[in-house]
Amino acid sequence: MELLLDLHPDAYPLEGFRRRQLLDWVYGQGAGTFDAMTNLPAATRQELEQTYLLNPFRLIETVRSADGSVKYLFTLQDGRQMEAVYMPYLDRKTICVSTMVGCPARCAFCATGAMGFGRNLTPGEIVGQVLAVAGGEDIAPREIRNLVFMGMGEAMLNYDNTMLAARILLHPGALGMSKRRVTLSTVGIARGIRRLAAEDDLGIKLAISLHAPDEETRKRIIPTGQVNSIEEIMSAAREYQDVTGRRITMEYTMLRGINDHLWQAKLLAELLRGLVSHVNLIPMNPWPGSDFESSTEEQIQAFYDLLEARGVDVSVRRSRGRDAGAACGQLALKRPNAHSGGAA
């Protein structure tokens, strides 16, 4: 049975007014069943029920943090599990969604990387996270206005499905998000960055998880560094900026004694010269079994100060939901069969 959410809004069943009604039920009101779509004829609802699957999830679990953020653990129809994080702020509601079960990038400091790779998510399984979170928080789906593809998985290695999901999110008949409020994060897949630059009708923002300015350190903590060198990543980033004119965010997880030396801050500043960018310094979110620790507050501040003194636009991004295990993969990692399809 086909998942309805996998379809682009322009390809939805029904025509004209009835299609708009169906889209409003799915994306405007977040209807969980076809029976709830009471202004559609009963025969139409029955036909939809027999043809399409509306819910991509078998089970949804939540862990709530004292800071208001909520970790969602989804069990997919095949039993695999993945996660999303809902982060409410005073001026916006943000969701961090996953694009894969597990992740093939295997960043050494990341809980998701420790899971290994399960499979790619379909467009509907990506978009469905937004609808499910909205339902769990008792808000309309269109109230979630900020979205980041920064959850489990490497979005650039599930490129086509992620791009279709992005187009659904932006479509005025679906969630109608602003392209300026949707960000795609990549560990540095150069060919994917170049492909994204060519998506003229999309216009979403780009974040690159650099995490180290020198090859030796980056290859130690990010295995994909063996394939995509820093030089290749920066070349692709500059091409992206030349084509789009958009600022690029550089994500930099602060690892104690690994990538937080001041000589690395100097090298990072040199690397970013001439690029319109913003650096997010991220204290590592600890997880059981990790061999890494977050840099000290003093070292983070010294790193920040040096970058700022050298003209780099920089901030420190504090992780939310630490008490809820909100680092990517933490909840699913506790379920040993979650990535293989054996989860219940």
Side-chain angles (χ1 to χ4, degrees):
M1 187 175 292
E2 187 174 12
L3 179 61
L4 183 67
L5 300 180
D6 279 337
L7 300 179
H8 186 280
D10 293 342
Y12 260 50
L14 311 183
E15 298 292 337
F17 177 64
R18 290 302 187 193
R19 176 182 287 177
R20 291 193 295 273
Q21 285 182 314
L22 177 58
L23 287 169
D24 183 65
W25 277 113
V26 173
Y27 294 108
Q29 302 184 54
T33 65
F34 291 110
D35 282 342
M37 304 176 184
T38 51
N39 59 357
L40 292 179
T44 300
R45 283 180 272 152
Q46 184 177 12
E47 184 176 354
L48 290 170
E49 183 77 38
Q50 293 172 348
T51 307
Y52 295 100
L53 181 68
L54 186 58
N55 186 356
F57 310 121
R58 273 179 18 194
L59 181 66
I60 302 173
E61 302 170 66
T62 60
V63 180
R64 296 185 177 271
S65 169
D67 64 16
S69 58
V70 187
K71 187 67 170 278
Y72 277 76
L73 177 65
F74 299 103
T75 301
L76 297 159
Q77 294 296 337
D78 64 2
R80 292 179 171 88
Q81 294 181 317
M82 53 79 184
E83 305 166 359
V85 181
Y86 172 66
M87 296 167 285
Y89 298 88
L90 290 176
D91 60 342
R92 66 191 185 279
K93 297 177 175 67
T94 298
I95 181 172
C96 176
V97 299
S98 295
T99 57
M100 294 177 170
V101 176
C103 184
R106 294 182 179 271
C107 297
F109 54 87
C110 177
T112 300
M115 289 177 60
F117 175 63
R119 67 168 174 84
N120 289 331
L121 297 181
T122 71
E125 289 170 339
I126 298 171
V127 174
Q129 297 168 60
V130 181
L131 302 180
V133 168
E137 302 306 310
D138 197 26
I139 59 177
R142 290 171 182 154
E143 287 187 48
I144 300 176
R145 306 311 299 157
N146 289 64
L147 181 138
V148 289
F149 294 102
M150 291 184 185
M152 296 170 64
E154 167 51 61
M156 290 299 192
L157 296 180
N158 187 17
Y159 188 89
D160 291 338
N161 286 346
T162 300
M163 290 302 105
L164 180 51
R167 287 188 165 84
I168 295 170
L169 294 166
L170 299 176
H171 195 283
L175 289 175
M177 289 186 171
S178 166
K179 60 187 179 183
R180 294 187 297 273
R181 296 188 174 188
V182 176
T183 301
L184 184 148
S185 177
T186 176
V187 76
I189 308 299
R191 69 179 185 276
I193 294 172
R194 292 188 172 96
R195 287 185 70 184
L196 184 62
E199 302 282 355
D200 296 334
D201 61 330
L202 206 55
I204 62 176
K205 298 192 294 186
L206 173 67
I208 299 175
S209 295
L210 195 63
H211 301 312
D214 60 292
E215 293 288 3
E216 181 180 354
T217 303
R218 196 167 198 277
K219 288 177 181 178
R220 174 183 172 187
I221 61 177
I222 303 177
T224 56
Q226 307 289 339
V227 179
N228 294 269
S229 68
I230 293 174
E231 181 180 0
E232 290 171 326
I233 294 168
M234 295 308 299
S235 175
R238 293 181 192 282
E239 289 180 31
Y240 171 90
Q241 192 158 89
D242 287 344
V243 171
T244 67
R246 289 189 286 273
R247 185 179 74 165
I248 298 172
T249 298
M250 293 291 177
E251 307 284 347
Y252 198 100
T253 299
M254 300 293 294
L255 306 173
R256 186 172 186 175
I258 306 295
N259 65 352
D260 60 355
H261 303 287
L262 295 186
W263 67 264
Q264 289 169 313
K266 294 175 184 176
L267 186 56
L268 179 60
E270 182 64 28
L271 196 65
L272 297 177
R273 183 175 295 175
L275 188 73
V276 181
S277 63
H278 177 84
V279 175
N280 266 333
L281 301 179
I282 309 167
M284 181 197 170
N285 200 342
W287 51 275
S290 172
D291 293 329
F292 297 88
E293 298 179 1
S294 178
S295 304
T296 64
E297 288 294 326
E298 293 77 13
Q299 193 64 16
I300 293 173
Q301 187 63 52
F303 202 95
Y304 173 98
D305 290 342
L306 195 151
L307 289 176
E308 187 177 52
R310 297 196 172 215
V312 176
D313 186 17
V314 59
S315 63
V316 179
R317 192 181 81 199
R318 301 294 174 184
S319 296
R320 300 190 62 183
R322 288 197 174 202
D323 55 323
C328 294
Q330 282 196 41
L331 294 184
L333 191 61
K334 297 176 182 178
R335 314 291 179 87
N337 296 318
H339 65 289
S340 63

